[in-house]
């Protein structure tokens, strides 16, 4: 028998999942908790096989609750439940010890598949969540492809500009002439297709070059 704990403050969610799984004789809902405190109290004396965890709880952030549960419970599989399909939340949940991610508009078959896969040691993401992660990956790849190629000296000067140093200060620090520093700065602005140092630093930060 696979024991399941539902942590969600909306009664309809708990009722809906219970109804979905009613005909699955090998799956048993052993608890429904409405907030983080109730969940931690329940988990202090129980170790379910599956925890269906709402990311948005009234008393504690679901992501933090996931991390808290993981500190003392390495066995239960945690599947995040949410109405929000954001790549950042998905990756944070997995980083904090989550094993899967489902949207609350899931179908019965998707829920059962998710339970089976995480119990078999796999990470399960809903189709929509998979798409979000793929979009994020493509976005990062595109940004990397569009990043200008910088010389070692240009990277050094860019970092010093980021630290707040001006041209003469950088020249003194690197034992170069102010003219040389200004030439490098102009080359950097040309590579980033900007016309101010402020925009140069903004774009370099967004591209994670500094």
């Amino acid at each position: 028998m696979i024991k399941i704990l539902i942590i969600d403050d909306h009664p309809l969610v708990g009722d809906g999942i219970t109804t979905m799984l009613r005909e699955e004789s090998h799956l048993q809902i052993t608890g429904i908790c409405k907030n983080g405190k109730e969940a931690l109290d329940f988990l202090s004396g129980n170790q379910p096989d599956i925890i269906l965890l709402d990311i948005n709880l009234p008393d504690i952030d679901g992501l933090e609750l996931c991390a808290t549960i993981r500190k003392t419970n390495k066995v239960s599989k945690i599947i995040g439940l949410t109405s929000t399909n954001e790549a950042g939340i998905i990756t944070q949940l997995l980083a904090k010890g989550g094993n899967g991610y489902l949207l609350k508009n899931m179908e019965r078959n998707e829920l059962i598949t998710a339970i089976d896969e995480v119990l078999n040691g796999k990470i399960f993401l809903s189709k929509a969540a998979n798409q979000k992660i793929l979009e994020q990956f493509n976005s990062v790849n595109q940004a990397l492809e569009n990043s200008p190629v910088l010389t070692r000296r240009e990277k050094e000067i860019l970092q010093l500009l980021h630290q707040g140093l001006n041209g003469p200060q950088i020249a003194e620090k690197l034992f170069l002439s102010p003219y040389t520093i200004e030439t490098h700065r102009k080359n950097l602005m040309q590579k980033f297709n900007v016309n101010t140092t402020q925009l140069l630093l903004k774009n370099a930060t967004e591209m994670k070059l500094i």
Side-chain angles (χ1 to χ4, degrees):
M1 184 68 70
I2 296 169
K3 297 178 180 179
I4 300 171
L5 168 65
I6 300 171
I7 307 173
D8 196 295
D9 62 321
H10 295 98
L12 286 177
V13 174
D15 293 344
I17 293 173
T18 301
T19 300
M20 279 184 182
L21 302 180
R22 184 168 291 156
E23 296 178 8
E24 301 298 321
S25 58
H26 67 296
L27 302 177
Q28 179 186 9
I29 307 294
T30 57
I32 299 178
C33 300
K34 297 182 179 63
N35 55 53
K37 183 180 183 305
E38 280 186 22
L40 292 174
D41 288 344
F42 180 89
L43 289 168
S44 66
N46 298 275
Q47 186 171 279
D49 301 293
I50 297 287
I51 298 173
L52 298 176
L53 171 62
D54 183 11
I55 301 301
N56 298 302
L57 294 170
D59 61 338
I60 182 173
D61 178 74
L63 296 172
E64 293 307 317
L65 180 57
C66 179
T68 300
I69 292 171
R70 252 316 154 245
K71 287 177 184 176
T72 56
N73 183 337
K74 309 293 185 185
V75 177
S76 298
K77 304 299 184 181
I78 302 173
I79 301 175
L81 288 178
T82 180
S83 304
T84 305
N85 191 26
E86 294 180 12
I89 294 177
I90 299 167
T91 52
Q92 282 186 69
L93 176 72
L94 298 179
K96 292 179 184 295
N99 304 97
Y101 192 94
L102 282 169
L103 296 180
K104 289 186 178 180
N105 61 357
M106 63 195 165
E107 299 291 336
R108 175 176 172 275
N109 287 343
E110 188 174 32
L111 173 59
I112 293 171
T113 299
I115 292 170
D116 289 342
E117 291 207 2
V118 298
L119 286 174
N120 285 323
K122 298 177 182 178
I123 296 292
F124 181 89
L125 298 180
S126 68
K127 185 176 179 180
N130 257 319
Q131 183 62 34
K132 273 293 179 185
I133 293 293
L134 185 60
E135 287 172 6
Q136 184 188 49
F137 176 77
N138 288 337
S139 176
V140 169
N141 262 3
Q142 187 176 10
L144 289 174
E145 288 172 3
N146 293 333
S147 295
V149 178
L150 306 181
T151 65
R152 181 186 62 81
R153 182 65 81 187
E154 285 171 344
K155 290 178 183 177
E156 194 173 19
I157 291 171
L158 187 61
Q159 190 62 46
L160 292 172
L161 286 169
H162 179 61
Q163 292 172 13
L165 275 65
N166 59 30
Q169 290 170 328
I170 295 174
E172 183 178 354
K173 188 176 184 66
L174 298 181
F175 303 103
L176 297 171
S177 72
Y179 174 79
T180 300
I181 299 301
E182 182 60 19
T183 299
H184 281 304
R185 189 182 70 85
K186 287 180 178 178
N187 287 340
L188 281 165
M189 289 169 63
Q190 187 175 18
K191 286 185 176 183
F192 281 87
N193 194 29
V194 296
N195 54 15
T196 68
T197 301
Q198 185 178 5
L199 280 175
L200 168 65
L201 294 175
K202 179 178 180 292
N203 287 6
T205 300
E206 289 175 353
M207 293 178 182
K208 302 190 183 304
L209 294 175
I210 52 175

